[in-house]
Every structure is written in structure tokens, then in C-alpha cells.
Amino acid sequence: MFKKKGMFGFLTMLLAFMLLAACSSGTNSIGSDPKDGDGKSADEGKTYSFRLAETHPADYPTTKGDIKFAELVEERSNGRIKIEVFPSAQLGEEKAVIEQVQLGAIEFTRVSSGPLAEFNKDFGVFSLPYIFDNDEHTWKFLNGDMGAAMLESLEDSQLRGLAYYSSGSRNFYSSKPLKSIDDLEGLKIRVQQNKINMELIDALGASATPMPYGEVYSSLQTGVIDGAENNHPSFYSAKHYEVAPNYILDGHQRVPEVLLISKTVWDTLSAEDQEIIKEAALDSVEYQREEWDKYEKESLDAVKKEGATVVEVDDVTPWQEKVKPVIDNYRDEFKDVLDAIDNAR
Ligand code: GTR
């Protein structure tokens, strides 16, 4: 796990200090008595203007969740805490954004557990194939004690997990025909940037190319890669179906989305403001999940309508067998989490 040390620690403190100076205005400074002269809560005078980085466009269900979260925070803080959502990777690709959030230079982000695994290895568990049966099973785990403990464990990585969002299941697609598992043999497949994904693709007989999400379309178009994998909403929204129209519904992973705040920023907030943010994040989940379910159906229908070839996989057993070595490799490391996942069935 990432540990704050030496130069990084110094930079973190410096940035936290600059951030406080830039973002907070009001009559009370951090560390002052929580009540001011006339007995009002210290928070009443303090205003904040934060940024939330999101890789997807404004109409995507994760972005809609982010916006709902920001609205709830603004409303419940009586307008004192404003969070502006920056969609479409305006603030950078996910890996770079997570680094900025660790430092407190960007205050919030919504990212996938895929890239997060490189910052907190516990989150790698979600890149293991076929560990969840379906959406219900996934949410039962995420809403349980271990799901909550994993969000807490992000503190070791200078982050704080606020909530999980829905992300459906991931499937392969290619510019080459994809009728069965055998067609993956020898293909160059883009994956989210973490090492478990590399092993997964190896196990399938293909070769893995990790790269940021924003580079996938052009890499498919120019033939730098033969394929990629994602859920229906991303396959549709990023228009990958235009350049890789062969889509096979193998459902190899369910990789939850995570809403994060910088721990550096979190630590500067009053307990009341922390509570507002925490509750607003959790209260935005139901809306995000509804939006997700709608868009997931719409996007599958839309890619079919646009001419993509969609192949159903009736029996995933051969897929599960082929990727089993990847799970076996991590069974000890993730024992407690995998047991909790099994118990959530
Ligand atoms: C999407 C996820 C994004 C990004 C992308 C990817 O499903 O919502 O945050 O991680 O996958 O494959 O890079």
C-alpha cells in the first residue's frame, strides 16, 4: 500500500496549507474554537469551492451521481460547500487524477476500482474474474461490513472512500470477429491499468496493453490494439462500438465505481462538514443506481441498433476455467475479502 513518506509528506503538507488558503474563507481558522463569539457554529461562516474530476461525459450515470452528490452537499450546507463537477476527463485521466487527489490538489473524484488498485492493493480484488454472480450479489457485498472497511482502508493511501457506485459487468470487444473465447487468442487487448488485468489477459491467451481510457478509441481505430473490454455504458458512450463492433457478453468482471475525497482535504474539515459530505455521498447512491440500470439497457439496445454484433455467452464455465489460475494466484492475498464475497451470496 502507498505510504506517505519524506518529500511526499512535505509536499502533502504544503499543498494542504495552500489549499486551505485558497479554498476556505470565513471568520474562523482551522483549529479555532468551534463556537465563535455569538455562539454560532464555526462552520456557518466558512465557505468552500471544491472540484470533482469525472472521466465520463455529463449524461453518463456516474456523472449524474456526482452531480446529485454535489447538489445534496450544497443544499445541506446552505450553499457554503460548492462542488463543481468536471466531466469528460477535463482534469485528466484517472491515474493522474488519483495522484492529484492524494495531494489535495483536486479535492474529489469518481474513479473505477480498476486504476485505484495501483494505489491501494485491496481494490485489486475487484479485478479478479467472476467473483460476483450478479448485481445483487455485488451490492450485498459492497453494502456489508467488508465493503465499508475497504472504503476506510483507502486512508492508508491518502484518500477517503465515500461511496460505491454501480458499474455493471465488463465484456470484451474487438475490431476482429469475437464469437467465442478462442477468438481472443493472440489479440492485443487494452485493459485498465493494474497488474491483475495483465495476468487475466495472459490467461486468456491474448496480450494486454494497459492505457488510459481516453486513448482507447484512437488506439482501436489505428490498430495499435485489437480490442478492449468494458461495460455496456462505456462501450456505447465512448463510441468504441464504432471501431470495435464485435461485442461478446462474457461478463468477466464487476469493478465498482468509487467516489473519493482527498484525505488531506477531509482532515481540514469540521466534523459537521465531514458528516454532510459522507451522508450526501451515501444518499446519492440510490439515484446513481437507478440511472445506471436505465442507461445499461439503453446502451446495449443502442449499440445493437448502430450495427454492433452482440454475442451472448450461454455458458461461462470455459471462461471461468481458463482464468482460474489468476484467482488461485491471489486466493491467499485476498482471502478475507474473497470469503466475505462468498458469504454475501
Ligand atoms: C469505465 C469506468 C471508468 C474507466 C473506464 C476504463 O467502466 O467507469 O471510470 O475506468 O471504465 O476502462 O478505463
Side-chain angles (χ1 to χ4, degrees):
M1 237 173 260
F2 195 89
K3 290 269 181 270
K4 184 180 80 168
K5 279 207 183 91
M7 193 60 183
F8 181 79
F10 172 73
L11 275 175
T12 307
M13 273 167 53
L14 187 70
L15 265 154
F17 180 77
M18 286 161 57
L19 184 111
L20 270 176
C23 292
S24 124
S25 66
T27 47
N28 295 282
S29 60
I30 296 289
S32 64
D33 194 288
K35 303 275 177 195
D36 65 16
D38 57 9
K40 279 188 203 147
S41 161
D43 293 332
E44 284 177 34
K46 204 164 281 163
T47 62
Y48 297 94
S49 172
F50 292 141
R51 298 186 300 169
L52 188 158
E54 167 63 68
T55 211
H56 293 298
D59 64 348
Y60 195 91
T62 53
T63 320
K64 288 187 175 176
D66 306 335
I67 293 168
K68 168 64 85 187
F69 161 63
E71 281 169 4
L72 291 175
V73 170
E74 183 161 350
E75 194 181 297
R76 293 173 185 179
S77 66
N78 297 319
R80 282 187 307 103
I81 309 177
K82 289 201 186 352
I83 302 172
E84 189 178 352
V85 177
F86 289 81
S88 305
Q90 286 175 59
L91 302 183
E93 295 285 350
E94 286 185 328
K95 192 166 169 239
V97 162
I98 298 171
E99 283 162 3
Q100 297 288 301
V101 174
Q102 283 184 315
L103 292 169
I106 297 174
E107 295 84 9
F108 292 88
T109 188
R110 189 291 313 160
V111 290
S112 163
S113 300
L116 197 51
E118 290 294 278
F119 296 82
N120 180 305
K121 67 180 171 52
D122 297 354
F123 277 73
V125 75
F126 297 125
S127 292
L128 291 178
Y130 299 111
I131 53 172
F132 293 115
D133 298 342
N134 50 36
D135 199 48
E136 200 192 329
H137 179 204
T138 312
W139 274 103
K140 203 165 156 210
F141 168 79
L142 296 177
N143 286 332
D145 291 347
M146 186 63 87
M150 285 181 68
L151 287 181
E152 293 272 313
S153 81
L154 286 166
E155 293 230 336
D156 298 339
S157 319
Q158 290 304 108
L159 302 164
R160 209 186 146 91
L162 295 169
Y164 294 106
Y165 279 169
S166 268
S167 68
S169 65
R170 296 177 76 99
N171 310 283
F172 288 101
Y173 45 88
S174 176
S175 50
K176 312 250 166 77
L178 267 189
K179 296 251 178 307
S180 79
I181 188 170
D182 299 332
D183 294 331
L184 283 173
E185 193 77 41
L187 296 189
K188 272 186 278 163
I189 303 285
R190 177 271 173 176
V191 287
Q192 287 181 305
Q193 294 159 288
N194 79 43
K195 74 180 171 89
I196 296 180
N197 282 324
M198 311 279 293
E199 293 176 37
L200 173 67
I201 299 300
D202 271 1
L204 287 164
S207 89
T209 309
M211 68 171 67
Y213 185 55
E215 290 172 22
V216 178
Y217 185 97
S218 62
S219 302
L220 285 167
Q221 197 175 33
T222 55
V224 167
I225 49 173
D226 303 308
E229 48 79 61
N230 223 310
N231 47 41
H232 308 337
S234 289
F235 180 50
Y236 174 57
S237 149
K239 298 193 170 19
H240 292 172
Y241 66 89
E242 289 179 355
V243 280
N246 301 293
Y247 192 38
I248 186 161
L249 306 186
D250 62 285
H252 53 275
Q253 286 170 335
R254 290 179 171 271
V255 186
E257 314 285 9
V258 189
L259 191 58
L260 298 172
I261 179 172
S262 167
K263 182 173 181 314
T264 311
V265 176
W266 177 263
D267 289 344
T268 64
L269 298 172
S270 69
E272 289 86 349
D273 285 347
Q274 288 178 344
E275 197 58 25
I276 289 174
I277 288 170
K278 207 162 100 185
E279 290 302 311
L282 293 174
D283 290 346
S284 68
V285 173
E286 192 183 331
Y287 172 74
Q288 192 275 339
R289 288 183 61 182
E290 283 164 14
E291 290 298 310
W292 181 269
D293 291 348
K294 268 193 275 167
Y295 196 74
E296 197 178 35
K297 287 188 194 77
E298 282 167 23
S299 44
L300 186 61
D301 288 347
V303 296
K304 285 181 182 164
K305 219 166 119 205
E306 295 291 333
T309 306
V310 179
V311 173
E312 304 272 347
V313 176
D314 296 331
D315 180 14
V316 289
T317 322
W319 294 76
Q320 288 171 325
E321 277 166 7
K322 206 154 177 185
V323 298
K324 192 169 166 289
V326 184
I327 302 213
D328 291 344
N329 214 4
Y330 287 93
R331 206 175 285 284
D332 289 344
E333 185 176 332
F334 292 127
K335 185 176 183 317
D336 293 350
V337 188
L338 288 174
D339 285 351
I341 291 175
D342 281 344
N343 291 335
R345 276 207 168 79

